[in-house]
């Protein structure tokens, strides 16, 4: 999943989410770890099972799509989460990177809105090879600001829900929240909403 889907002439919510495989890859590690931990009660065992599941999906991704970087990044994040949980002996730390990443993304998107260089506009300008021409169009700037604000709200909600769960040590609840609010489902919904916003203006379509 990436912002370049916003350049498509047509886009369904299913396409914005990235399809079933993207959803599966996005939620696999979090769901597998949580289920394994609830069954075994062992942090390292659950972490290794989660890494193994994601590794299989990464191999499939590379074999079918040749997307080496996306597979490597996903595996690295899961590996880091597994290492953090295993070395601390705290299952809830498996989800700490997701909480931190969500908060950091929200901060970056918010800052880009405040300085009037919205992330969505910058990325789409590069994708379309228009660079920063959109900044001379007030309507385009407003739409890109609004689209970026959509992601700010999403990240703010995710952080507001996940951080208290982490601090209170609620592993199961955090695992569920991280899966729903920090993964492909919520990001896909944001992309689809942004696509609808941009389609309202023929110049940005």
């Amino acid at each position: 999943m990436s912002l370049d889907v916003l350049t498509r002439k047509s886009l369904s919510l299913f396409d914005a989410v990235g399809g079933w495989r993207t959803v599966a890859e996005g939620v696999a590690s979090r769901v597998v770890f949580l289920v394994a931990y609830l069954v075994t009660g062992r942090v390292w065992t659950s972490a290794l099972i989660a890494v193994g599941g994601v590794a299989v999906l990464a191999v499939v991704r590379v074999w079918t799509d040749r997307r080496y970087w996306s597979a490597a990044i996903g595996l690295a994040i899961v590996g880091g989460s597994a290492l953090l949980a295993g070395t601390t002996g705290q299952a809830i730390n498996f989800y700490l990177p997701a909480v931190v990443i969500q908060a950091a993304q929200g901060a970056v998107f918010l800052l880009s809105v405040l300085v009037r260089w919205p992330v969505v506009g910058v990325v789409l300008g590069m994708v379309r090879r228009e660079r920063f021409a959109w900044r001379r169009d007030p309507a385009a700037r407003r739409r890109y600001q609004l689209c970026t604000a959509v992601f700010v709200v999403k990240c703010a909600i995710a952080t507001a829900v996940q951080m208290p769960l982490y601090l209170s040590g609620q592993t199961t609840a955090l695992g569920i929240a991280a899966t729903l609010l920090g993964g492909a489902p919520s990001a896909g919904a944001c992309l689809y909403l942004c696509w609808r916003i941009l389609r309202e203006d023929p110049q940005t379509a």
Side-chain angles (χ1 to χ4, degrees):
M1 294 170 57
S2 61
L3 293 178
D4 59 5
V5 301
L6 298 179
T7 62
R8 297 182 184 179
K9 296 299 182 180
S10 62
L11 183 69
S12 67
L13 181 57
F14 182 75
D15 292 332
V17 171
W20 288 115
R21 187 169 66 178
T22 299
V23 173
E25 292 174 348
V27 305
S29 64
R30 296 164 186 175
V31 172
V32 170
F33 176 83
L34 181 58
V35 172
Y37 180 69
L38 292 176
V39 172
T40 67
R42 297 178 179 275
V43 178
W44 264 120
T45 300
S46 304
L48 292 176
I49 291 174
V51 171
V54 172
V56 171
L57 293 174
V59 170
V60 172
R61 171 68 76 176
V62 171
W63 181 265
T64 57
D65 296 342
R66 297 293 189 270
R67 295 184 179 180
Y68 300 98
W69 278 110
S70 61
I73 291 173
L75 191 57
I77 292 175
V78 175
S81 299
L83 184 62
L84 181 60
T87 54
T88 61
Q90 300 294 320
I92 198 168
N93 283 336
F94 184 85
Y95 300 102
L96 179 58
V99 177
V100 173
I101 290 173
Q102 200 70 213
Q105 286 179 341
V108 170
F109 276 80
L110 176 59
L111 179 62
S112 74
V113 170
L114 294 178
V115 299
R116 299 185 181 280
W117 281 86
V119 170
V120 174
V122 173
V123 173
L124 290 188
M126 294 180 179
V127 170
R128 292 170 168 167
R129 298 185 179 182
E130 299 173 350
R131 296 182 63 82
F132 309 122
W134 55 270
R135 288 185 55 79
R136 296 191 293 271
D137 184 344
R141 287 203 310 270
R142 286 194 297 270
R143 294 182 191 281
Y144 287 141
Q145 286 276 87
L146 181 57
C147 287
T148 305
V150 168
F151 284 94
V152 173
V153 172
K154 185 272 254 191
C155 292
I157 293 174
T159 302
V161 172
Q162 293 177 101
M163 187 61 74
L165 293 176
Y166 175 78
L167 294 177
S168 60
Q170 299 184 49
T171 303
T172 301
L174 179 57
I176 295 173
T179 300
L180 297 177
L181 298 176
S186 60
C190 288
L191 286 173
Y192 181 70
L193 181 57
C194 290
W195 181 83
R196 294 297 299 268
I197 292 172
L198 294 176
R199 291 316 94 183
E200 295 176 6
D201 183 359
Q203 295 182 356
T204 61

